[in-house]
């Protein structure tokens, strides 16, 4: 094989690699622009929130910080655990009563609230 055929082979390989990098760059640029467009749409959607919605979200924030259970007393943690358990149980009972009332089914005496 003559020496100039090796040069042509290397020129072709370099040209193909440059073409690959150009196409890869175009693809990455398009994906970047799509991400920027999505972030802009999300920013516009978040920008439409009024001050009342932000205040409601701030009021609904938990009073304790995450990770504070490590330093809490066992009595406080037991109380929180029992309160959350009873709240979940009451919520399940309320949904069960509402579901049975919607279907016209008889209620169980334990589900009725006599207070």
């Amino acid at each position: 094989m003559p020496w100039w055929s090796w040069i042509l082979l290397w020129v072709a390989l370099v040209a193909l690699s440059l073409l690959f990098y150009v196409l890869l760059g175009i693809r990455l640029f398009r994906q970047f622009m799509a991400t920027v467009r999505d972030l802009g749409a999300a920013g516009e959607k978040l920008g439409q929130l009024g001050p009342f919605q932000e205040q409601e979200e701030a009021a609904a924030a938990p009073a304790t910080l995450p990770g504070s259970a490590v330093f809490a007393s066992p009595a406080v943690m037991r109380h929180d655990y029992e309160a959350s358990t009873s709240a979940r149980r009451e919520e399940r009972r309320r949904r069960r009563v509402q579901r049975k009332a919607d279907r016209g089914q008889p209620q169980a005496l334990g589900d009725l609230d006599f207070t």
Side-chain angles (χ1 to χ4, degrees):
M1 226 172 158
W3 62 271
W4 51 270
S5 63
W6 289 104
I7 293 176
L8 287 177
L9 178 68
W10 280 105
V11 168
L13 287 175
V14 169
L16 285 175
S17 65
L18 288 176
L19 178 66
F20 173 74
Y21 285 128
V22 167
L23 292 176
L24 183 66
I26 291 171
R27 182 172 179 262
L28 286 175
F29 178 75
R30 286 184 179 177
Q31 287 179 348
F32 173 75
M33 292 308 289
T35 303
V36 168
R37 190 171 34 251
D38 290 344
L39 287 175
E44 289 175 6
K45 190 176 284 188
L46 286 176
Q48 293 174 356
L49 292 177
F52 298 111
Q53 293 172 344
E54 292 173 2
Q55 290 176 357
E56 291 172 0
E57 291 173 0
T64 59
L65 296 174
S68 62
V70 174
F71 303 109
S73 70
V76 170
M77 292 310 301
R78 173 57 64 183
H79 174 267
D80 290 349
Y81 174 76
E82 291 173 353
S84 64
T85 301
S86 63
R88 287 192 303 269
R89 186 177 298 137
E90 178 62 25
E91 181 62 25
R92 284 194 303 269
R93 188 199 64 80
R94 188 192 60 75
R95 286 194 315 254
R96 182 174 55 245
V97 168
Q98 184 62 43
R99 184 174 58 244
K100 285 186 172 186
D102 291 344
R103 294 177 180 171
Q105 296 173 336
Q107 298 289 335
L109 285 177
D111 289 341
L112 297 178
D113 190 16
F114 291 113
T115 58

